[in-house]
Amino acid sequence: MISSLFVPLLSDSNSQTLDLSIHNPRFTVDIYEDINKFSQFIQDSIGEKRYGLGGYLEHRRMYETHENFATSEHDFRNIHLGIDIWAEAGTEVFVPMDGIIHSFQVNEGAGNYGPTIILEHQILGERIYSLYGHLAGQDLVGLFPGKEIRRGEHIAHLGNSSENGGWPPHLHFQLIRDLQGFMGDYPGVCSQRDMDFYAQNCPDPRLW
């Protein structure tokens, strides 16, 4: 599924797996607290490839620098629930399966999604939702709930750091079985305490 989010399609020849976890000693706090250093780190990690990707259920320390990821139980939401695809701002995003617009909004604040779109799909009798975060603001213009979206249709662009929540340009792509009443938003990271529930509710997009 994730291979068809971009054109050209994601493949081993144009993609580099990135490690932003607590286990990467090269990804230090002085990097992820500075957007310029963070962006350069991503670019250096991608190298000559077009895309960088990874992150499903990855334990990331970088969220602990944002207050909105703190929980009421004195820990942090720091387990990443989607796949990140890192590329240049303005890179076009395409829909990997037929669906309809469920909801959309701009999720404001440092570290948040920025412009976000959620689609609703029916796959083999199962309802599933796909979330697209860190988009360009222009991508929400003209959308409305229930609008039909076809597989392969262009839906969005990667936003720049001034509009995407303050991140180097990338797409946060996440599958969700139960939106739990959310509209235009859904947690993209969870605490380690809640990982069993979210791992079941947010399946690995690479397996679909």
Side-chain angles (χ1 to χ4, degrees), residues 10-25:
L10 298 178
S11 67
D12 291 341
S13 64
N14 62 19
S15 305
Q16 175 63 47
T17 300
L18 302 188
D19 179 4
L20 304 183
S21 77
I22 64 171
H23 305 294
N24 184 353

Side-chain angles (χ1 to χ4, degrees), residues 70-101:
T71 76
S72 60
E73 299 190 32
H74 308 293
D75 62 1
F76 284 87
R77 295 185 295 121
N78 52 21
I79 304 297
H80 190 254
L81 298 172
I83 292 288
D84 285 335
I85 301 100
W86 308 80
E88 294 182 2
T91 299
E92 295 183 321
V93 180
F94 298 85
V95 178
M97 52 187 169
D98 292 348
I100 63 171
I101 299 288

